[in-house]
Amino acid sequence: MSTPDRRTPDRRAADRGAPDRSASDRSASGRPTLIPGPLAAQEVGVAPATIRKWVQLGHLEPAGKAGRAQLFRLEDVFAAERATRRAR
């Protein structure tokens, strides 16, 4: 039995299929899908601290909470990222 090479991406993750960003960010119930800050940061390619800073500066507003964790709509996170890119 061989161990997987840690330097190569996990092919099984690609087989599961990445979410289509062009698809609506709504769940089957019709309500928006909410994601935690670290996952939102990963989706737009920034550090989690950047998401927290956007909230602090008013560029992004949490759409909900799960315990202490803030939850965001992916659409709002992308909009905040575009807004901060234009400001530079």
Side-chain angles (χ1 to χ4, degrees), residues 21-52:
R21 288 195 180 147
S22 65
S24 174
D25 68 340
R26 297 194 177 273
S27 66
S29 67
R31 295 178 17 206
T33 302
L34 303 179
I35 60 173
L39 181 56
Q42 183 180 3
E43 287 293 319
V44 294
V46 298
T50 303
I51 298 292
R52 292 190 299 271

Side-chain angles (χ1 to χ4, degrees), residues 36-76:
L39 181 56
Q42 183 180 3
E43 287 293 319
V44 294
V46 298
T50 303
I51 298 292
R52 292 190 299 271
K53 182 58 92 173
W54 289 347
V55 170
Q56 182 182 25
L57 294 174
H59 298 298
L60 179 63
E61 190 165 327
K65 291 190 98 170
R68 289 179 38 186
Q70 294 178 326
L71 301 175
F72 302 93
R73 288 182 23 195
L74 192 55
E75 177 181 299
D76 294 342

